[in-house]
Amino acid sequence: MQLQNELTERLGLRYPILCAPMGAVAGGRLAAAVSRAGGLGLIGPGYLGTDWLDAQFEAAEDVRIGVGFITWDLARSPERLDAALAHKPAAVMLSFGDPEPFLPAIRRAGARVLLQVQTLEAAERAAALDVDFIVAQGSEAGGHGADRGLFPLLPAVVDAVAPIPVVAAGGIADGRGLVAALALGAHGILVGTRFYATEEALGHAAAKTLLVSGGGDATVRTQIFDIVRGLSWPSGFTGRALRNAFTERWHGREANLRAAVPQEQPRYAQAARSGDLNTAVVWAGEGIDLVHEVLPAATIVERIMREADAALRNLTRHAPGP
Amino acid sequence: MQLQNELTERLGLRYPILCAPMGAVAGGRLAAAVSRAGGLGLIGPGYLGTDWLDAQFEAAEDVRIGVGFITWDLARSPERLDAALAHKPAAVMLSFGDPEPFLPAIRRAGARVLLQVQTLEAAERAAALDVDFIVAQGSEAGGHGADRGLFPLLPAVVDAVAPIPVVAAGGIADGRGLVAALALGAHGILVGTRFYATEEALGHAAAKTLLVSGGGDATVRTQIFDIVRGLSWPSGFTGRALRNAFTERWHGREANLRAAVPQEQPRYAQAARSGDLNTAVVWAGEGIDLVHEVLPAATIVERIMREADAALRNLTRHAPGP
């Protein structure tokens, strides 16, 4: 299937598929694999520093990739943006916080700007800024996000920010989702969790196994993993994760967890170090129902395009035109 | 646009568009208007009794319509099913509770069965029953529902219950949504809130005005309107409503509201009677961003099909095939 539009043209892609900058999971190998396959991979430093960025750009071996920051955390150590821009990323994605202070430097470096929003109101504010693309992220997404469902949010954002191209994010894991996103007015998709369950993604092999075996019914949006780690996320944002013993114990008891942080934080940190995923978080989107095996990232890109082609043929067969 | 499939064929429809049985809002006039326009309207008795059912079937003037029940509430006064079946509905939809006791009577009456589910696990259980269609309802829906986002839930349900045709519900308000639902594997759509803002819908004119002026960012899934009315909804279900002074006061303070029910219930009932929508609930889905005016129901059906045609042409233009 051929699919060229303002997104693929401005980013120089064969396919309108972006790999989400999942913090500490989307490293250089994954990003480069997605880019080589025709999409665009974005590395995700999360809360990590310039050393991680340099190492992951190196791991990408000069393949054209992008990078995505947690905006409020970037503001705490903004030197990371300069470190990333020194590697000439194709695009910089900013999510969760005030992007304005960072836009001039990204522009000067010649990178495209992707701004991720979670509400219609934030999309309207984003449209007033100098950005190339707006990413509309639904509540279905793994990791941090907010409460609006992608299906109605996406066309509302498309209408509100036109003619800025919109990328759909949150719970998209196959080619049916690509065609649905395009039907709702998006120019492409940003895929996270599906690319977590790849050979190239960083992170515990045990986490990838859980993504394959787990289901969307067993994910939850929660603040508890931020509370226990002492992270000061702005209000309104939660993280979608697999339910585990830690969510069973603390989700819905946030005030109690805040009071227990002095005891719980070191225990949590130890569990995270040792890979105890009954306690430590595994971020996961609701799209994991569609994740049945760990695959090479390139296979996923090819499969999405093949599935999209089939979905489109199916649509036109059902609806042969007026 | 022509669009015929197992859903339209088995229900005898021109278009795969169903009007949701919104409790006390989807009456006979609305249901008949949607059916006359080529879809299928379902009346929604909600917690109301046989008098209401008889009156609304009469208001539909022998146009072929369906009816949808809150299953756990139907179990409290099951004579309502017989009253409805006496009117020879085209279909009976059951949501929220155990449908099994009601299926034989519906079958004997020759009506089609639509079973609405909110999780993949419930869909798997539904597929083992004798039902014609499964409705996959996303969290975006107005009124009662649960937590899963439609975009990833829908294809997972389609895969799990095949070959049973699936209808998509929750936050769908235009033709882009119809095409997206078809791309994700649905056979049609169930539309609620968009049909609430019609001339034919029951309910306060002031509520319809709020649906037009309001936005999806300002809706919330909450239990408080059930708590204050003393309704015993099964756990896991909440209702999506417009935020108002009552949600600002009580949402997140459910335990306090439970304790205050003796004082709050009569005040709430008075507000509901007098149409004070700062207190009384206005159920609304996240799709209200796409609702810009109160229209005749037939206009909405025609518009959805026209928009779907445009969305499909747009898709095939972007993706001219392999």
Side-chain angles (χ1 to χ4, degrees), chain A residues 1-6 119-122 140 147-156 158-159 170-172 174 176-177 179-185 216-217 240 286-287 289-290 309 311-313 315-316 318-322, chain B residues 1-6 119-122 140 147-156 158-159 170-172 174 176-177 179-185 216-217 240 286-287 289-290 309 311-313 315-316 318-322:
Chain A
M1 179 162 128
Q2 287 297 312
L3 208 158
Q4 291 295 311
N5 59 33
E6 292 94 325
T119 63
L120 181 56
E121 192 259 333
E140 299 91 336
D147 292 334
R148 296 225 34 199
L150 180 62
F151 203 111
L153 176 64
L154 178 54
V158 167
D159 290 347
I172 307 177
D174 68 10
R176 292 175 290 187
V179 175
L182 296 173
L184 292 169
D217 290 355
R240 185 176 294 282
E286 289 188 57
D289 290 320
L290 308 172
D309 188 49
L312 196 54
R313 285 165 184 271
L315 265 181
T316 48
H318 276 280
Chain B
M1 177 162 127
Q2 288 296 313
L3 208 157
Q4 292 295 310
N5 58 33
E6 291 94 326
T119 63
L120 180 56
E121 192 260 333
E140 300 90 336
D147 292 333
R148 295 225 34 198
L150 180 62
F151 203 110
L153 176 64
L154 178 54
V158 166
D159 290 346
I172 306 177
D174 69 10
R176 292 175 290 188
V179 176
L182 296 173
L184 292 168
D217 289 355
R240 184 175 295 282
E286 289 189 57
D289 290 321
L290 307 173
D309 188 49
L312 196 53
R313 285 165 184 272
L315 266 181
T316 48
H318 275 279

Side-chain angles (χ1 to χ4, degrees), chain B residues 133-146:
Chain B
F133 311 104
I134 289 173
V135 182
Q137 183 198 34
S139 168
E140 300 90 336
H144 284 85

Side-chain angles (χ1 to χ4, degrees), chain A residues 71 81 94 97-107 113 115 125-126 128-131:
Chain A
T71 317
L81 180 58
L94 298 172
D98 177 13
E100 277 204 79
F102 306 109
L103 299 180
I106 300 171
R107 285 296 177 209
V113 176
L115 190 53
R125 277 186 281 121
L129 302 175
D130 179 25
V131 302

Side-chain angles (χ1 to χ4, degrees), chain B residues 1 25 29 35 61 114 117 134 148-149 188 193 199 215 281 295 320:
Chain B
M1 177 162 127
V25 164
R29 269 189 74 214
S35 289
E61 296 176 338
L114 292 138
V117 300
I134 289 173
R148 295 225 34 198
T193 307
E199 295 169 3
V281 68
L295 291 168

Side-chain angles (χ1 to χ4, degrees), chain B residues 222 224-225 228 243-254 256-257 260 263-264 267-268 278-279:
Chain B
T222 186
I224 62 173
F225 295 110
V228 76
R243 291 181 187 277
N244 64 9
F246 196 77
T247 65
E248 288 307 300
R249 182 164 172 212
W250 294 112
H251 183 63
R253 297 179 62 236
E254 286 73 13
N256 303 62
L257 177 58
Q263 304 88 56
E264 290 297 322
R267 287 163 57 171
Y268 183 88
N278 266 321
T279 295

